[in-house]
Amino acid sequence: MHGVTALILLIAISSVAAGQWGNICAGQRSNKIRGCDQYGCGHYNASRGRRTHKGVDVVCTDGSAVYAPFAGKIDKQAKPYGNGNTIDNGIQLSGAGFCIKMFYIKPIKYSGTIKKGEKIGVLLPMQRVYRGIISHVHIQNCDLTNPTSNLELRAHGFINATAILEHRGSGHTMPALSLIALVSVLSAVFAKQLDVYPPQQQHRHWAQLCSGNPSNRIRGCDKYGCGNFGASRQGSKGSKGERHVGVDVICSDGATVYAPFSGQLSGPIRFFHNGNAIDDGVQIRGSGYCVKLVCIHPIRYHGQIQRGQQLGRMLPMQKVFPGIVSHIHVENCDHSDPTPLLKPDVPYFPPSPQEDIHWEAVCAGNPTNEIRGCDKYGCGYYGAPRRGGKGEKHKGVDVICADGATVYAPFSGELSGPVKIFHNGNAIDDGVQIRGAAFCVKLLCIHPIRYHGRIIKGQVLGRMLPMQRVFPGITSHIHVENCDRSDPTSSLQRGKGRRK
């Protein structure tokens, strides 16, 4: 009976593990997922500025052997960046009902069949490119779905099963039907654990709340009051001496809002109870925290959400309070001060695989980076003639942008400036340079929010200056010029209006 008992249990455990992948990296038996470091976090849907991480980063030491997680065939080479840097290599692998891309590895071959657990290559020297990062293999499903559930079962699941076997071996007899029932429950609970508790790092500080505000900068003071915890709210709701029991995190109207930590959603949460344009919000409880985020419209009011996952969007606060510093009201459920939990420094997100081959939209209202055609002042494409310029050619690209529109960073990098194009002090003689891992560009005829420091791809960079004042009737535009004066056209996303 004991042998049958053990056999049934082992079969049941095998059925739970059958759909799981094998070890991916030598020395990492549990396919441990990268937590968070100065470059970001490794779990699926982790924040990448205005984007989310569409893969999972499995911890792996530089130079370690990398193994096939399942049996199948190597379809082709797959490069994460396409810029030829030290870690720009990988493969696409399919089989057993799966299709994945594995990045940052040097494969032993780019085609052919391979067995589960067979060596597929070695991890490339990630520390050379991102010093101090937690080195890892980037695993990405071909359809960009979450691969986390396919990673190896957790160790505590096997410990529970071993404990049952040890209990059997100690002289206690368990009826076969009871054992089968127990195994069914065990399998169900195990599967549930993978859904409810996906691998991720526990954090001392919350993640970025609003796109364009990577440091969770708190609203200062304006004509409506101040945004810090404990700020005076005299006269509000007819009460004298009332204090602000939350923190106002700066967020532009319409900006994307992210979950500060993983947890359970509940709501809606109303702040004003008058149905105005910003009277909406949601509560998140989990990871040891409980917080209310108000003046946002969540994508849903119930269910589980992960740290850094898109939560919703900022509501139009300017409609209700014209001239206020638009913000998310962040309030701990126990009315304690949330300020220490807000992330204290600006994170740097390195280019995610297949993300920075093309730049982000540069101007609000022009999602395709459409290039200026021709008007009475000339044409906007690279190499266009500049009349009166003695044969001089246009050494940049003019991306259409309405006067006063918001301008975004096309990629992550370091700012420097100011950069002037006219040097005559006119209304559009301003700009900034951005130098990143693979690019260096000057954006001219804009007023940046700052001239120095780090900026993240898709973050608000500034605003378009009033070009119509200087050149009436021109197609207003941002002048985009590579630092080496090469053609930036190919870096623009789906740019229209290019010269044929």
Side-chain angles (χ1 to χ4, degrees):
M1 180 63 186
H2 290 171
V4 174
T5 298
L7 179 60
I8 293 172
L9 182 57
L10 288 172
I11 290 171
I13 293 172
S14 297
S15 68
V16 176
Q20 308 303 313
W21 297 342
N23 293 341
I24 289 173
C25 180
Q28 294 293 338
R29 294 184 179 180
S30 61
N31 285 337
K32 181 180 177 183
I33 294 177
R34 168 192 170 211
C36 295
D37 50 42
Q38 62 182 313
Y39 298 95
C41 303
H43 61 85
Y44 184 79
N45 264 341
S47 175
R48 290 293 186 268
R50 296 181 72 193
R51 299 178 182 269
T52 55
H53 188 217
K54 291 305 178 187
V56 167
D57 297 338
V58 175
V59 175
C60 194
T61 305
D62 291 6
S64 294
V66 177
Y67 305 110
F70 52 82
K73 66 171 184 174
I74 299 173
D75 299 320
K76 60 182 180 179
Q77 184 180 27
K79 294 186 176 183
Y81 304 120
N83 61 8
N85 71 15
T86 307
I87 59 174
D88 190 27
N89 204 355
I91 58 162
Q92 179 175 302
L93 175 66
S94 63
F98 305 112
C99 178
I100 64 169
K101 295 177 181 178
M102 304 177 71
F103 294 139
Y104 312 137
I105 69 171
K106 172 64 175 176
I108 56 177
K109 57 184 178 181
Y110 293 106
S111 62
T113 59
I114 197 159
K115 297 177 182 178
K116 179 176 180 177
E118 185 179 343
K119 183 177 177 180
I120 207 167
V122 295
L123 187 73
L124 289 167
M126 185 164 279
Q127 297 300 317
R128 290 188 189 175
V129 181
Y130 303 116
R131 185 173 298 277
I133 200 171
I134 300 171
S135 294
H136 59 270
V137 183
H138 175 87
I139 306 295
Q140 180 176 300
N141 277 341
C142 296
D143 62 1
L144 300 185
T145 56
N146 189 355
T148 306
S149 61
N150 291 318
L151 296 170
E152 256 193 340
L153 295 178
R154 294 188 177 191
H156 62 255
F158 290 107
I159 290 170
N160 290 341
T162 303
I164 294 170
L165 286 173
E166 289 175 352
H167 176 76
R168 176 201 60 75
S170 65
H172 298 279
T173 304
M174 181 178 289
L177 289 177
S178 298
L179 178 60
I180 292 170
L182 176 61
V183 169
S184 298
V185 172
L186 191 67
S187 300
V189 170
F190 210 155
K192 192 70 175 175
Q193 284 177 326
L194 287 173
D195 293 332
V196 177
Y197 303 105
Q200 61 178 8
Q201 181 84 357
Q202 293 300 316
H203 307 276
R204 298 190 319 174
H205 298 284
W206 293 347
Q208 175 183 352
L209 293 180
C210 178
S211 62
N213 183 6
S215 60
N216 287 334
R217 190 158 61 98
I218 296 174
R219 166 192 172 213
C221 297
D222 50 42
K223 64 182 179 181
Y224 296 94
C226 302
N228 59 284
F229 184 82
S232 174
R233 287 295 183 265
Q234 290 181 346
S236 65
K237 300 182 182 178
S239 174
K240 293 183 179 180
E242 185 174 347
R243 297 288 176 178
H244 190 213
V245 293
V247 167
D248 297 338
V249 174
I250 296 173
C251 194
S252 300
D253 291 5
T256 302
V257 178
Y258 305 104
F261 52 84
S262 300
Q264 194 73 24
L265 300 174
S266 62
I269 302 295
R270 310 296 186 191
F271 191 72
F272 301 98
H273 300 283
N274 60 6
N276 68 19
I278 59 174
D279 196 18
D280 198 3
V282 71
Q283 176 179 293
I284 311 176
R285 183 184 295 274
S287 305
Y289 309 112
C290 179
V291 73
K292 297 175 183 178
L293 301 179
V294 184
C295 305
I296 72 166
H297 179 63
I299 54 178
R300 62 181 187 274
Y301 295 106
H302 302 282
Q304 191 79 17
I305 197 162
Q306 299 300 317
R307 172 187 168 102
Q309 186 177 347
Q310 183 175 339
L311 176 62
R313 60 178 174 79
M314 179 67 196
L315 288 170
M317 187 166 280
Q318 296 301 318
K319 289 185 180 178
V320 182
F321 301 112
I324 199 170
V325 178
S326 293
H327 60 270
I328 305 166
H329 175 80
V330 180
E331 183 177 306
N332 277 341
C333 298
D334 62 0
H335 290 177
S336 60
D337 185 2
T339 307
L341 298 169
L342 297 172
K343 204 165 187 177
D345 55 356
V346 179
Y348 168 52
F349 299 113
S352 292
Q354 298 180 333
E355 183 173 295
D356 267 5
I357 295 173
H358 297 290
W359 295 345
E360 183 61 89
V362 175
C363 179
N366 183 5
T368 59
N369 285 335
E370 184 178 356
I371 295 173
R372 166 192 171 213
C374 297
D375 51 42
K376 63 182 180 181
Y377 295 95
C379 303
Y381 59 86
Y382 184 82
R386 283 295 177 260
R387 287 180 298 180
K390 297 181 180 180
E392 185 177 348
K393 302 290 186 180
H394 191 212
K395 293 302 181 184
V397 166
D398 297 338
V399 176
I400 296 173
C401 194
D403 290 6
T406 302
V407 177
Y408 302 103
F411 53 83
S412 299
E414 197 72 26
L415 299 174
S416 62
V419 178
K420 311 290 188 181
I421 187 173
F422 300 102
H423 301 284
N424 60 6
N426 68 18
I428 59 172
D429 195 19
D430 198 2
V432 71
Q433 177 179 293
I434 311 177
R435 183 179 295 276
F439 307 109
C440 178
V441 72
K442 298 175 183 178
L443 301 179
L444 305 175
C445 305
I446 72 165
H447 180 64
I449 54 176
R450 63 181 187 274
Y451 295 106
H452 301 282
R454 182 160 289 281
I455 197 162
I456 298 165
K457 177 176 178 176
Q459 186 179 345
V460 174
L461 175 62
R463 60 180 173 79
M464 179 66 196
L465 288 169
M467 187 166 281
Q468 296 300 318
R469 291 187 191 175
V470 181
F471 302 111
I474 199 171
T475 303
S476 293
H477 59 270
I478 304 165
H479 176 80
V480 180
E481 182 178 307
N482 278 340
C483 298
D484 62 0
R485 310 200 82 184
S486 61
D487 186 1
T489 307
S490 61
S491 297
L492 298 169
Q493 286 186 321
R494 299 182 300 279
K496 297 179 181 178
R498 299 178 187 175
R499 188 183 184 190
K500 302 297 184 182

